Amino acid sequence: MIDTHCHIYTDAFDEDLPAVLDRAADAGLTDIIMPSIDLNSRAAMQRMYHDRLRFHPVAGIHPCDVKGPTDEIALWKWAGEDDVVAVGESGLDYYWSSEHISEQKASFRFHCRMARELDKPLIIHNRESTHDMLQILREEQDGRLRGVWHCFNGSVEEGLQAIDTGFHLGIGGVVTFKNAGVDKTVSMLPPDWMLLETDAPYLSPVPHRGKRNEPAYTALVAVKLSALFGKTLAEIDALTTETAKNLFRI
Ligand SMILES: [Zn+2]
């Protein structure tokens, strides 16, 4: 089982990191994909180690951290390193960061270009910006762009559009929330385009909602998907692991 979106390298885990990682391995995780927030994430990611888990860095600048011009040379150099499996997280966030929309769009397009040129998947963050996000992806798609819409919470139609543009759907704790409606939408989309994720330390699934999230809870998302699709947990694990391995080439 793979947590395809986890900020395990942040200080939210400083106090009990070894125990968190033991629980992740005990829950069946083998790999953790680590989207970055900014260039400072790199050093923190390099410190990650556990004897039963593999850690995969992702290079990018989070849209909420785009406040001006990006150091494009430093970012491109990092994203090109061999151990970096993807570009991101990039995208648009009109909820937390509505005053820097033009800078976010420019940064998002730069990340699309890096992903194409470096032949690595792109991890997308999208909040209240679905229309612009999908439009930019369609414009930037030249046949080489692939990736994942992390924390998918769109409509069935938007999910199908993303898939049609070459993007997978990252399914996290929100699918377990009552009244969010994401579970119903997800159940109408193809499971072979889905990836498991936590977005830890954020967005804990039920029954941990509101508390710190951690990679072991990937299994709770898998349990929810198995119920939605009428498959066994082992089938969901195998399907999503295969999809993640193919996308990230790990
Ligand atoms: Zn994230």
Side-chain angles (χ1 to χ4, degrees), residues 179-195:
N179 306 323
V182 176
D183 52 348
K184 196 158 175 259
T185 309
V186 164
S187 73
M188 290 185 273
L189 288 160
D192 52 334
W193 279 84
M194 293 178 189
L195 301 172

Side-chain angles (χ1 to χ4, degrees), residues 1-3 5-6 13 16 20 23-29 32 171-176 196-225 233:
M1 194 176 290
I2 301 178
D3 184 352
H5 196 114
C6 182
F13 300 100
D16 59 346
V20 169
R23 285 197 292 273
D26 291 346
L29 253 65
I32 295 179
I171 311 298
V174 179
V175 77
T176 69
L196 303 176
E197 63 171 50
T198 58
D199 200 18
Y202 314 106
L203 293 171
S204 275
V206 172
H208 306 288
R209 191 173 178 182
K211 303 199 189 89
R212 184 189 68 175
N213 200 356
E214 62 173 73
Y217 300 163
T218 309
L220 294 171
V221 178
V223 166
K224 181 70 185 185
L225 289 190
L233 184 57

Side-chain angles (χ1 to χ4, degrees), residues 5 7 89 150 199:
H5 196 114
H7 301 281
E89 60 188 286
H150 135 69
D199 200 18

